[in-house]
Amino acid sequence: MKNLFFLFLMISIKLSSQVNYNVNSHHYKNEMNPYFDLIEIVENHGIGGPAYGGYDTGVAYADFNGDGYIDINLLLNPGADGDFCEHFMLINNGDDTFSMDNTLITNTTFQTYMSRKTIVGDFNGDNKPDVVRIAGGHDWLGKSNILMSGNDQYTFMELDVVPESQYHGFGSGDLDNDGDLDLFFGSPDAGFAMNDGSGNFTWFRVDEKISNFFEDEPEHGPYGMGTIEILDVNNDGDEDIVIGGSYANNSSDPHLMGPTILWGDGTSNYDYNNKTEIWGFGERPTMTDGSNVNNNDDFSFADIDNDGYLDVVLVFIRQIDNDPDNNGDTTMSHYYQVMKGNSNTEFTDVTDEWLPDNIKYCTVVWIILKDIDQNGQLDLTEYAKTTYKAGSLPTTNCLPEAWRWEWNGSSFTTISGSQLSVDDEILDNSLKLYPNPTDNILFIKGNKNSMNVSIYNILGKEVLSKINTNNIDVKVLPKGVYIIKISDDVSQTNRKFIRN
């Protein structure tokens, strides 16, 4: 009996480790991706930034060697836009540490440009993960590709039927209810790659599958349709396509009026007259200065308030070129918007009530809605626990720790963030750190009061602190860039310094 119990336990563990990869891309992104400390992992293997780029859009998480643990496949750019990427397979050792094993890939010299989005799914019906990446750098055309599973290895191959392009967004889902995953590609050459179940695709131009859809632009649909998700929004058993990106400034523009849901009927054919706009023309969000946001880079759905209806979080870019308030440089900010869904599949803007801390001045790429710590409360966060970020304001320091809020029953509470403002609550305009860089003592000059000092590494972890001081010894720290937080009883400031 004892042996039978252990046999049953082993079978249960084996079954529980099996993953269904035949799910739409929205579900995989939000429910199945892990929450790894990606920066630490890649830097441990010598493939960290800035030597490489493309972590956010080129990463794929899946159990590639079938041992029950989530591995990482990376397509990284080693140089400038237009350089061919390098491929890396990091195998989980069973404890979320990783070993490099590119032998799982048969053709690691496969040439492709940086991808702007990566999707994991079972496209050839063998119950193993495959990886599809869209083509093209910002100024380079290329063929989208798939890393297809074989018996024991994976092989890169181009998706020949998909036009050579520079896609920004696409999604996967079973659009025709035949049991396999199909693909829908956005601008600039929109269309459908319909799967026969074995990973063989047939291409349909967008006007062949979506009726009444920008009939003056039949070859590609609306301009700027760069953000795509596929999911069953209204829970009727059929996959819907959510499209967004660049929206119309004038009602006559050949763009979408707003983020739009195309309702599916299980045939893979859609009708633009059968749609719901999450918001419409003239309802684009505005920044605090009254200016409109620009492109909508991502969106994710979840029943945030547990009322039985899906809500949606969207993220937008706001770009100001030649900004006089930023020394003539480009200023990039990111705006989160939260829309509450109701029984009629209509949406109401609840951003101010649910997410007042919604504007960020450091990079945002993907929206993840998932209970990260398994405490029963939904989190709003990013694609990894740490991400490479960039800021465009000299007054903003961007730390890699992911944005993360947690739903408290009525709104989102900030759990962690990666933005330290260096001019909020300034202690004194004459405050100075010297010498900077330094290899031992860092002095703080210009404030008459003794201050409390905390130092954070690039991961946002506090590594040193001292109270009632005007200097701090940093020689125990490894060489690198750090953030020092200086505060007294009423105010604080944050500055960068370098430990030589």
Side-chain angles (χ1 to χ4, degrees):
M1 179 65 70
K2 185 176 180 180
N3 289 337
L4 286 175
F5 171 77
F6 280 111
L7 177 61
F8 175 77
L9 179 61
M10 291 175 66
I11 293 173
S12 299
I13 292 172
K14 180 66 174 177
L15 290 176
S16 67
S17 69
Q18 294 177 354
V19 176
N20 177 21
Y21 291 101
N22 191 20
V23 297
N24 64 52
S25 52
H26 181 273
H27 178 86
Y28 198 90
K29 178 183 81 167
N30 286 280
E31 298 295 335
M32 298 175 67
N33 274 339
Y35 200 57
F36 287 149
D37 189 339
L38 186 60
I39 290 181
E40 180 179 9
I41 292 169
V42 297
E43 291 188 348
N44 283 343
H45 289 277
I47 53 174
Y52 290 90
Y55 304 90
D56 43 14
T57 58
V59 63
Y61 302 110
D63 179 11
F64 291 105
N65 65 349
D67 65 356
Y69 300 102
I70 299 298
D71 311 306
I72 304 174
N73 172 245
L74 287 159
L75 178 86
L76 299 181
N77 187 340
D81 190 26
D83 290 342
F84 289 125
C85 291
E86 297 180 22
H87 314 285
F88 303 97
M89 188 73 80
L90 299 177
I91 300 301
N92 198 320
N93 296 319
D95 58 358
D96 290 347
T97 63
F98 295 82
S99 299
M100 186 83 73
D101 185 5
N102 286 344
T103 61
L104 282 178
I105 303 174
T106 63
N107 54 340
T108 55
T109 59
F110 177 78
Q111 292 185 334
T112 184
Y113 298 126
M114 184 180 72
S115 174
R116 291 184 179 180
K117 188 175 180 180
T118 296
I119 285 177
V120 174
D122 177 14
F123 290 92
N124 60 358
D126 64 356
N127 299 315
K128 297 177 183 179
D130 309 300
V131 183
V132 183
R133 293 180 170 98
I134 48 177
H138 288 82
D139 297 307
W140 299 84
L141 302 180
K143 278 286 191 179
S144 297
N145 61 80
I146 186 167
L147 181 63
M148 189 78 82
S149 59
N151 291 330
D152 298 309
Q153 291 179 296
Y154 288 80
T155 300
F156 282 104
M157 57 187 72
E158 292 183 343
L159 292 174
D160 290 331
V161 301
V162 179
E164 185 178 60
S165 190
Q166 51 177 184
Y167 289 110
H168 189 280
F170 75 138
S172 66
D174 185 6
L175 300 178
D176 53 3
N177 283 344
D178 66 350
D180 58 53
L181 295 178
D182 310 298
L183 297 164
F184 176 70
F185 294 75
S187 299
D189 299 289
F192 295 74
M194 301 303 297
N195 191 356
D196 70 353
S198 299
N200 301 307
F201 296 90
T202 302
W203 181 255
F204 294 87
R205 211 170 66 177
V206 66
D207 59 317
E208 298 178 281
K209 285 285 186 180
I210 306 178
S211 58
N212 304 303
F213 191 55
F214 289 80
E215 293 171 328
D216 292 337
E217 311 290 342
E219 294 185 8
H220 49 70
Y223 286 92
M225 185 175 61
T227 303
I228 309 293
E229 284 295 353
I230 295 176
L231 70 155
D232 183 5
V233 179
N234 58 358
N235 198 31
D236 66 351
D238 300 320
E239 298 281 36
D240 310 306
I241 302 177
V242 188
I243 53 179
S246 176
Y247 302 117
N249 293 316
N250 302 289
S251 59
S252 60
D253 290 344
H255 296 73
L256 295 166
M257 298 295 108
T260 302
I261 304 169
L262 303 176
W263 298 110
D265 61 6
T267 67
S268 76
N269 297 312
Y270 294 79
D271 186 345
Y272 192 56
N273 291 334
N274 182 23
K275 68 179 184 296
T276 293
E277 292 177 341
I278 295 171
W279 50 257
F281 180 72
E283 298 177 321
R284 188 187 306 196
T286 56
M287 302 291 287
T288 54
D289 63 1
S291 61
N292 285 330
V293 297
N294 301 126
N295 290 356
N296 173 197
D297 264 11
D298 195 30
F299 32 61
S300 283
F301 291 75
D303 183 7
I304 296 171
D305 57 350
N306 293 312
D307 66 351
Y309 307 108
L310 290 185
D311 314 300
V312 57
V313 179
L314 309 93
V315 68
F316 302 83
I317 290 175
R318 175 64 176 125
Q319 180 170 327
I320 304 174
D321 294 322
N322 304 312
D323 186 358
D325 296 325
N326 190 16
N327 302 317
D329 294 329
T330 297
T331 297
M332 295 280 286
S333 51
H334 296 78
Y335 181 104
Y336 283 90
Q337 183 185 37
V338 188
M339 303 290 290
K340 174 178 167 54
N342 63 23
S343 58
N344 296 319
T345 326
E346 298 171 340
F347 295 87
T348 303
D349 192 338
V350 292
T351 306
D352 290 343
E353 296 87 351
W354 288 12
L355 189 68
D357 178 28
N358 72 312
I359 298 178
K360 300 298 179 186
Y361 293 93
C362 301
T363 309
V364 177
V365 179
W366 305 118
I367 296 171
I368 303 297
L369 288 168
K370 179 181 181 179
D371 182 5
I372 294 298
D373 53 4
Q374 299 295 304
N375 68 347
Q377 301 294 330
L378 187 72
D379 296 287
L380 165 57
T381 186
E382 299 185 77
Y383 69 96
K385 186 177 180 180
T386 55
T387 69
Y388 284 108
K389 285 180 163 49
S392 57
L393 286 175
T395 54
T396 302
N397 296 316
C398 298
L399 300 179
E401 188 178 18
W403 311 120
R404 182 180 162 209
W405 299 266
E406 186 174 76
W407 182 251
N408 62 22
S410 59
S411 64
F412 282 102
T413 300
T414 301
I415 301 298
S416 63
S418 310
Q419 177 174 291
L420 294 177
S421 172
V422 299
D423 60 359
D424 281 348
E425 304 176 285
I426 290 295
L427 287 167
D428 192 290
N429 289 333
S430 62
L431 191 68
K432 180 180 179 181
L433 298 179
Y434 68 96
N436 187 10
T438 184
D439 56 8
N440 46 57
I441 305 296
L442 185 65
F443 294 93
I444 307 164
K445 180 181 180 181
N447 195 72
K448 63 182 179 181
N449 301 316
S450 292
M451 291 158 283
N452 301 325
V453 173
S454 297
I455 293 176
Y456 299 83
N457 65 15
I458 196 171
L459 300 179
K461 179 181 179 181
E462 184 178 298
V463 291
L464 274 181
S465 65
K466 190 175 181 181
I467 62 173
N468 298 323
T469 186
N470 282 301
N471 66 77
I472 187 167
D473 189 347
V474 298
K475 65 175 176 287
V476 297
L477 298 177
K479 295 179 180 179
V481 178
Y482 295 86
I483 301 296
I484 182 169
K485 182 171 76 173
I486 308 164
S487 62
D488 59 15
D489 293 335
V490 295
S491 56
Q492 72 175 45
T493 185
N494 304 294
R495 301 284 177 89
K496 289 181 182 178
F497 78 92
I498 297 174
R499 161 70 169 92
N500 271 345

